[in-house]
């Protein structure tokens, strides 16, 4: 869709991404990249570990490095005080490996993500992880590879306040400077379209069992859309 926008009869005035923000306009968010790291060793019977190459051990070595690099991001920055936490983050979220206790595991997969403040691309941090991955692989005699499975750029602070003033008027809420979660607003901004986040629901209730949106939150969103429609359709 973004690729087709230049062919429209007129450029969009802006993009409102309806992620849960308690109907408060949000001006900026972090960028993200998530990758799957695969380490491949050599299977064998556990009665003689020397005849195989255990993929879990280099995976564990890499995990410790990821933990320590994440700690350095928290202490060394770069920092942006508009965010909580005010720095880029790195974490390993999922690890898969091994099939039975009596088999030398020949494969381990680690899913990691980076969430970066504006001004630091998440790919900068994942590049460091991948450099360490290949160093670990060379020392351990394993094969290593990686694949990206999600990515979006940060949404930096807006250059003007036209869109934020409109949303403030339509919602009755003052804009929030930044959030640490991310949306496709960064993609629309990168395509040259002013973008902002504003939607019903709370991020505190997201990504967990029994997510919900209150009736009054939906009603607030309806009022905002009606105000938007009335303004853009009014005669000049």
């Amino acid at each position: 869709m973004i690729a087709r926008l230049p062919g429209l009869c007129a450029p969009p005035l802006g993009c409102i991404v309806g992620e849960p923000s308690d109907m408060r306009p949000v001006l900026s968010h972090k960028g993200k990249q998530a990758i799957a790291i695969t380490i491949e060793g050599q299977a064998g019977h556990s009665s003689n570990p020397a005849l195989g190459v255990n993929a879990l051990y280099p995976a564990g070595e890499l995990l410790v490095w990821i933990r320590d690099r994440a700690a350095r991001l928290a202490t060394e920055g770069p920092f942006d005080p508009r965010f909580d936490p005010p720095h880029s983050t790195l974490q390993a979220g999922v690890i898969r490996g091994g099939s039975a206790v009596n088999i030398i595991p020949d494969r381990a997969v680690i899913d990691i993500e980076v969430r970066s403040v504006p001004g630091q691309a998440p790919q900068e941090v994942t590049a460091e992880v991948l450099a360490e991955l290949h160093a670990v692989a060379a020392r351990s005699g394993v094969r290593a590879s990686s694949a990206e499975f999600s990515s979006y750029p940060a949404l930096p602070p807006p250059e003007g306040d036209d869109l934020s003033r409109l949303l403030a008027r339509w919602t009755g809420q003052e804009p929030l400077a930044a959030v640490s979660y991310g949306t496709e607003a960064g993609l629309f901004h990168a395509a040259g379209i002013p973008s902002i986040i504003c939607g019903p629901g709370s991020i505190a209730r997201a990504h967990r069992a029994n997510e919900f949106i209150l009736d009054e939150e939906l009603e607030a969103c309806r009022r905002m859309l009606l105000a938007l429609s009335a303004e853009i359709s009014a005669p000049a």
Side-chain angles (χ1 to χ4, degrees):
M1 182 178 68
I2 292 175
R4 296 290 299 273
L5 290 177
L8 297 177
C9 60
L13 296 176
C15 171
I16 303 171
V17 175
E19 291 284 349
S21 69
D22 298 299
M23 289 306 299
R24 186 175 181 185
V26 175
L27 304 181
S28 183
H29 68 62
K30 291 183 176 182
K32 176 182 173 179
Q33 186 185 35
I35 63 173
I37 292 169
T38 301
I39 296 172
E40 298 178 283
Q42 176 65 47
H45 196 277
S46 63
S47 61
N48 193 343
L51 297 181
V53 180
N54 192 318
L56 297 186
Y57 295 146
E61 187 176 344
L62 182 64
L63 285 171
V64 170
W65 187 92
I66 289 171
R67 180 200 64 189
D68 294 344
R69 181 66 184 98
R72 292 198 304 276
L73 284 170
T75 58
E76 299 171 3
F79 298 102
D80 188 328
R82 296 174 304 120
F83 292 92
D84 181 21
H87 52 80
S88 300
T89 58
L90 164 66
Q91 82 137 10
V94 178
I95 182 167
R96 301 176 292 276
S99 56
V101 73
N102 62 341
I103 299 174
I104 299 168
D106 65 343
R107 181 181 173 88
V109 180
I110 306 169
D111 294 346
I112 71 166
E113 70 160 25
V114 175
R115 294 179 182 265
S116 62
V117 296
Q120 180 180 48
Q123 290 81 2
E124 294 178 23
V125 181
T126 53
E128 296 179 40
V129 176
L130 296 180
E132 181 63 19
L133 166 67
H134 293 299
V136 169
R139 293 194 299 269
S140 306
V142 296
R143 297 179 300 278
S145 60
S146 64
E148 178 186 274
F149 59 88
S150 70
S151 177
Y152 52 76
L155 175 64
E159 295 178 358
D161 64 353
D162 291 351
L163 192 57
S164 62
R165 284 191 293 105
L166 284 174
L167 267 293
R169 185 163 73 248
W170 295 337
T171 64
Q173 296 203 63
E174 286 301 309
L176 180 65
V179 292
S180 290
Y181 63 83
T183 77
E184 65 268 35
L187 297 169
F188 284 95
H189 174 270
I193 300 165
S195 301
I196 199 165
I197 305 161
C198 187
S202 170
I203 197 65
R205 303 194 297 262
H207 302 305
R208 62 190 66 199
N210 303 316
E211 290 183 78
F212 63 91
I213 295 177
L214 299 172
D215 289 344
E216 53 263 38
E217 292 170 338
L218 290 175
E219 175 59 23
C221 184
R222 188 183 76 90
R223 290 195 302 269
M224 183 269 284
L225 293 173
L226 288 173
L228 179 157
S229 176
E231 182 148 341
I232 64 175
S233 59

